[in-house]
Structure formats: C-alpha cells, structure tokens
Amino acid sequence: MGTSLTDLVANTYSRFPITLVRGQGAYVWDDRGNKYLDFVAGIAVCSLGHCHPEISKVLCEQANRLIHVSNLFWMEPQLKLAELLVKHSFADQVFFCNSGAESVEAAIKLARRYGHNKKGPECYEIICLKGSFHGRTLATVSATGQDIFKKGFEPLVPGFLHIPPNDIDSLRLAFSRRTAGILIEPIQGEGGVRLISDEFLQEARSLCDKFEALLMFDEVQVGMGRTGTLFAYEQTPVVPDVMCLAKALGNGVPIGAMLAKKDAMKYFSPGSHASTFGGNPLACSVAAKVIEIISQPVFLKAVKEKGEYLNKGLFCLKEKFPQKIKEVRGRGLIQAIEFYHDVPDITKMLMEQGVLVILSHGKIVRMVPPLIISKEEIDKLLKVLERTINSI
Ligand SMILES: Cc1ncc(COP(=O)(O)O)c(C=O)c1O
C-alpha cells in the first residue's frame, strides 16, 4: 500500500525532485510547466540541444527504414559513421558499442590483447590517474581513480595502477615492462574539470612510444566538440593511439565508440569482442548527423568563443566572491567553479530560479551546457549564479 512509482526504480541516483517531460534547444520543462535553462544537457550528452530538428528528422527516417539487424551483416549507417570518425581523427578503425563504460572496457581489452601479443602475457597493466572516472562496469570501476566508486565491489579487476595526475616522476616509476597502456581523460570531467598538463601528456606519449604501449584517451565527456575542437586531444601536444567516445556522439541516442590506430586494432579479430546493439543503424545514422554538424569549423569556433565568454564571466564571479570561490577552470563549454566549502543546497537554489547545473564532490559546480547555448543564455546563468552565491 502507498508504494510510490519512484520506489520501483533502483535507488542508484540522488535525483533532482522534478520530473522532466519536454525539451527544446537549451531548455527543459517539468510536468508542472516550469522551464529550466539546462547547463546539465544530460551530463554532456545533448550537445546539439534538446530535440534538434535535424537529429529528430534523421531519427524518425531511420526508424522507418531499419532500426536493428546485427553485426553479422554490414549496415550503411555504421560504415558512414566509421568513415566520418576516421576522417576527422587520428584513428584508422572503430569498434562500436552503446555507452562510455563499454567504450573504455573495449579499450582496456584491446590494450591487454596488444600487450599479450607484443610482449607476452605478463604485459597487462594499465596506468590510470587518481581522480579519474571511466565508468561503472567492474573493469572501468577498477580503472577509475576514486575509491568511492569501488567500495563494496571488491575484489576489483587486477592490473590497474593509479598515479597522481600531472606527476611525471610517478608516471616514470609506474611504467614497466608490464605496462600495456596508459589511460587518461585529457580533462577529468566527473573528477571536477581538472586539466592534464601538456608536459605530463608528452611524457606519457614518449614512454608509450619507447616501450610499445598504448596511449589511450577517454574522451567520453570532453570529446565531440565540448572543448572547442572536435576532439580534446587536438588542443594537446600529443595524439593518442586509442580514443573512447560516447555521450554527445548520439546527442541522447545511446552509442559508444572505441577508435584506434590499425597497429593496435589489428589485435581484435572475429570473436575477440562484440556488442549486440553496438553500431546499430538507428544510433549510427544519428551520430553521423551529429558529427556532420559539430565538425563544422564555424560551429567549433562558436563553442570556443562561448566557452571563453562563460569562463570570463565565472572569473568575474570569483573576483566578486574571493572568500567563497577557490578556483574557476575549464576549456570550451566544460567549466567549473570550486568553492572553499561544501555548497550542498546550491543546485536546488539554482533549480528554483530556473537553472540546472551539476554538483560534484560537494563543492564543485560543473557546467556542461548544450554547445548551441547562446551568450544571452550564458548571461542568464551568470546572473542567477551571482545572486545565489551572494546568498550562501
Ligand atoms: C570520462 C568518462 N568515461 C566514461 C564514462 C562512462 O560513461 P557511461 O555512463 O556512458 O557508461 C563517463 C561518464 O560520465 C565519463 O565521464
């Protein structure tokens, strides 16, 4: 008696106390008709905004043509998407899956195969960074550099070493003949929008080159135009061997992809890895349209400009509230404010004023709006943030 429908869903999320029913551009509406400016965007997923007309059109057309067959057959949308991903990146080949965790899982398996084949079965270790987040499967939780996600799930998958980000000495110490790969988010998203230094990335690249290991970038959150280039690695001095994508690739239609150079991907052969839904025509036709739109130079230039505009606005807030705001950081349209103290009520306060943001680690407000956000909408966020920070 009296069971609420919300009790029927596993209690794995602390949710905002609202039910969203509709979205358009950078806005979503709840079931009471309240409108919210969405700086969450499905956690860096809906980069073209909600219900983008071209995306909805492709989705409907493909739904009326062919939704799913199987990777036992070739599918035109999958080939088209692979061609686009390869054309716009360093990669030669793509493995398709359905989520970020699956794309990282595929990268982990590829690195192990690569290590086994190149240097023998004792070469299976993957060096990861503290503070990182790579997903919720057992292997990706093991790769993740935050204990909070691992508690109670032990024993974890062995073979992951965790070193402090940007600590070159620790990287050199951790690297050995057992190292199959290094896994890095070029900007740690969930970890609080923390940038990895060029020097650290260069050292990782040179160790991987010298000792035949794979440099793997997890761009699940920061890829697909989020930082102002199609891929975040383009703004670093290095090019990885493997890259993981998901989130914004499908603008909300679930899809993941693990991209690699042929010298690595050749160690996957029929039967070594697979996914029933991975690369299905529905998701691939949408993702191909997403890339076509996001990869346009004018689109990416606008992301950079709007990112700088948002960053500048946040810095002004830091100057206004030096006792409260410790740091502002980000690149492109992934930005964060770190407070000195926990701000547990801030998301609720902002929500009540019609703005949605993400709170990480108690004191970091993360903003990952749709990339189509306008400067006027950024101004609106800044105004509400200022009023709210003033009152806390
Ligand atoms: C960098 C990174 N990798 C992997 C994942 C896992 O993606 P998914 O939730 O789609 O499995 C996330 C999710 O937030 C992420 O930010």
Side-chain angles (χ1 to χ4, degrees), residues 150-161:
K150 309 184 186 209
K151 240 169 128 188
F153 298 116
E154 301 86 351
L156 299 169
V157 176
F160 296 96
L161 306 180

Side-chain angles (χ1 to χ4, degrees), residues 43 99-102 104 133-135 185 190 218 220-221 246-247:
I43 318 188
S99 67
E102 281 179 75
V104 179
F133 182 81
H134 296 294
E185 288 170 88
E190 197 285 334
D218 179 348
V220 166
Q221 187 154 159
K247 286 196 183 272

Side-chain angles (χ1 to χ4, degrees), residues 60-266:
C60 292
E61 282 172 2
Q62 189 61 46
N64 283 316
R65 190 176 305 130
L66 186 68
I67 294 178
H68 177 82
V69 275
S70 155
N71 285 301
L72 294 172
F73 306 95
W74 293 111
M75 293 158 259
E76 282 171 358
Q78 188 182 111
L79 296 174
K80 182 178 173 191
L81 177 58
E83 186 183 25
L84 281 168
L85 286 168
V86 165
K87 178 180 151 203
H88 286 292
S89 74
F90 67 88
D92 302 315
Q93 288 186 312
V94 187
F95 172 81
F96 289 109
C97 50
N98 313 287
S99 67
E102 281 179 75
S103 68
V104 179
E105 185 91 20
I108 291 166
K109 286 181 74 175
L110 185 67
R112 285 201 175 185
R113 272 271 160 130
Y114 181 89
H116 280 227
N117 281 278
K118 286 247 172 193
K119 295 186 267 182
E122 70 289 349
C123 177
Y124 61 87
E125 280 181 0
I126 295 178
I127 299 174
C128 305
L129 302 187
K130 289 188 176 158
S132 62
F133 182 81
H134 296 294
R136 302 294 197 139
T137 63
L138 198 55
T140 55
V141 152
S142 306
T144 290
Q146 302 182 62
D147 289 342
I148 186 167
F149 298 113
K150 309 184 186 209
K151 240 169 128 188
F153 298 116
E154 301 86 351
L156 299 169
V157 176
F160 296 96
L161 306 180
H162 293 91
I163 61 162
N166 301 330
D167 183 339
I168 290 176
D169 290 339
S170 295
L171 178 61
R172 288 186 186 137
L173 267 176
F175 207 96
S176 76
R177 61 187 168 73
R178 290 186 302 280
T179 306
I182 303 177
L183 177 61
I184 298 175
E185 288 170 88
I187 299 172
Q188 293 185 338
E190 197 285 334
V193 190
R194 296 180 193 280
L195 280 71
I196 305 303
S197 73
D198 285 354
E199 298 70 32
F200 185 86
L201 295 177
Q202 272 166 326
E203 183 62 17
R205 180 68 275 173
S206 92
L207 284 167
C208 286
D209 285 342
K210 215 154 140 190
F211 300 105
E212 290 193 308
L214 296 179
L215 180 61
M216 304 184 285
F217 273 14
D218 179 348
E219 294 215 14
V220 166
Q221 187 154 159
V222 295
M224 294 306 298
R226 172 82 26 210
T227 62
T229 43
L230 187 56
F231 303 115
Y233 78 82
E234 295 172 52
Q235 290 180 69
T236 76
V238 305
V239 175
D241 304 300
V242 174
M243 176 168 67
C244 302
L245 297 176
K247 286 196 183 272
L249 181 57
N251 206 56
V253 175
I255 182 166
M258 187 271 284
L259 287 69
K261 300 290 285 180
K262 191 144 193 193
D263 183 47
M265 201 74 101
K266 71 182 180 197

Side-chain angles (χ1 to χ4, degrees), residues 3 8 11 16 31 49 83 121 233 247-248 259 296 310 343 382:
T3 306
L8 305 181
N11 189 24
F16 286 88
D31 57 356
E83 186 183 25
Y233 78 82
K247 286 196 183 272
L259 287 69
Q296 287 170 27
L310 172 58
V343 284
L382 292 168

